[in-house]
Amino acid sequence: MADNEKTELREKLKADFIANGFDGLSDWQALENAINASLPRCDAKAITDTLREKYFSVENAKKVSALQMIKVDDIHPYAAIYISLLQKIPQRIMLGKNRKIRFLTTTEKMIEYATNMLSLQEVERIAMICLDERKRVINAQFIAKGEESYANASPSQITQIITIYKPKYVIMAHNHICESLEPSHSDVSFTINTRKLIGKLGVELLDHIIVNKSGALSMAQSTDFSFIFNR
């Protein structure tokens, strides 16, 4: 595309965005506008057309690493980095919210903390949150990253974290990519086994929170699963 054509397209995209706002754009139009505004020397339309052909949806494109886009799918490097940042920056912002949450003394705070860690993750991950005797957060980290709908954490890794941070309490949390928050059989087994494992080390499992993009479930507050946490 000639430079004058690129300029005309950029001006048209800008005018359409100003006139109609974000809500008036499709996902692909929004991405084209974003690439156009951030990478003015690139052919935003050509990049967007290539992405649509290869990944079919913006959500699929955001899941692909920048390195794969560049090396395998021949996407412009700056565009690949930009698309990767579209996912990483919101995740970082959500995680940053937890810096203001020091104590997890209520179920509501536990859910808020777990949601900030997990709600924007694109694959299933397991988080382990360690608390001291006052239920102050002393460590929170991801301990497993799985496929799109499955992750598993090893007992040795959990034991190692307990040994390092010496918490009084632990909260486990993981995300579901699907719409359901209902714990699976493996979720229930993992919770029971984790409670037994850390109990032998003198640590109490307070909750296992399941998060998806629309909400969260506390297993400790659930009628069907609260028995796991009752001593």
Side-chain angles (χ1 to χ4, degrees):
M1 184 182 293
D3 288 343
N4 63 329
E5 291 178 305
K6 290 181 184 179
T7 301
E8 288 177 8
L9 179 59
R10 283 197 296 271
E11 290 303 314
K12 183 180 184 303
L13 287 170
K14 182 174 69 175
D16 287 345
F17 180 80
I18 292 171
N20 302 314
F22 185 82
D23 292 339
L25 303 176
S26 70
D27 288 349
W28 289 112
Q29 288 171 329
L31 181 60
E32 184 177 346
N33 265 282
I35 293 173
N36 177 65
S38 303
L39 307 169
R41 294 187 179 182
C42 294
D43 187 340
K45 185 178 187 309
I47 291 171
T48 306
D49 288 345
T50 301
L51 291 167
R52 179 163 28 195
E53 179 183 342
K54 291 180 179 294
Y55 304 123
F56 306 108
S57 74
V58 173
E59 282 301 311
N60 287 341
K62 284 161 57 180
K63 295 176 186 178
V64 180
S65 71
L67 185 61
Q68 180 179 333
M69 283 190 184
I70 296 166
K71 288 193 172 182
V72 178
D73 296 330
D74 198 28
I75 302 296
H76 191 287
Y78 287 139
I81 292 168
Y82 179 79
I83 293 162
S84 178
L85 290 174
L86 287 178
Q87 183 64 25
K88 300 302 181 185
I89 290 174
Q91 288 176 359
R92 186 72 60 87
I93 291 171
M94 288 294 285
L95 287 171
K97 292 181 178 181
N98 282 346
R99 296 192 190 101
K100 298 180 180 180
I101 304 175
R102 297 182 60 201
F103 294 88
L104 302 183
T105 56
T106 66
T107 299
E108 289 74 19
K109 279 297 179 185
M110 295 177 195
I111 287 175
E112 180 183 356
Y113 201 96
T115 298
N116 289 342
M117 291 187 73
L118 291 159
S119 63
L120 295 183
Q121 298 298 319
E122 294 295 335
V123 297
E124 191 164 301
R125 303 188 79 168
I126 299 174
M128 182 172 173
I129 305 163
C130 296
L131 312 176
D132 65 14
E133 66 279 355
R134 296 188 297 156
K135 297 183 180 177
R136 177 176 63 94
V137 178
I138 54 178
N139 182 65
Q141 66 185 84
F142 295 115
I143 61 172
K145 179 179 179 180
E147 303 299 325
E148 184 166 328
S149 60
Y150 179 77
N152 192 28
S154 68
S156 61
Q157 188 175 10
I158 294 172
T159 300
Q160 183 180 33
I161 292 171
I162 295 291
T163 302
I164 294 171
Y165 293 100
K166 299 179 173 57
K168 176 66 177 176
Y169 306 102
V170 158
I171 301 164
M172 302 303 298
H174 80 281
N175 60 311
H176 280 180
I177 303 302
C178 64
E179 294 182 1
S180 174
L181 287 169
E182 185 70 16
S184 66
H185 291 301
S186 61
D187 293 339
V188 175
S189 297
F190 173 77
T191 307
I192 292 171
N193 292 336
T194 300
R195 184 200 165 190
K196 290 178 180 178
L197 172 66
I198 68 175
K200 293 177 182 178
L201 302 171
V203 179
E204 181 180 348
L205 181 64
L206 290 181
D207 208 336
H208 184 171
I209 295 168
I210 299 174
V211 176
N212 67 11
K213 293 185 183 300
S214 60
L217 169 76
S218 161
M219 290 181 67
Q221 296 298 312
S222 169
T223 303
D224 293 331
F225 305 106
S226 60
F227 73 92
I228 298 173
F229 305 88
N230 295 334
R231 291 188 177 274

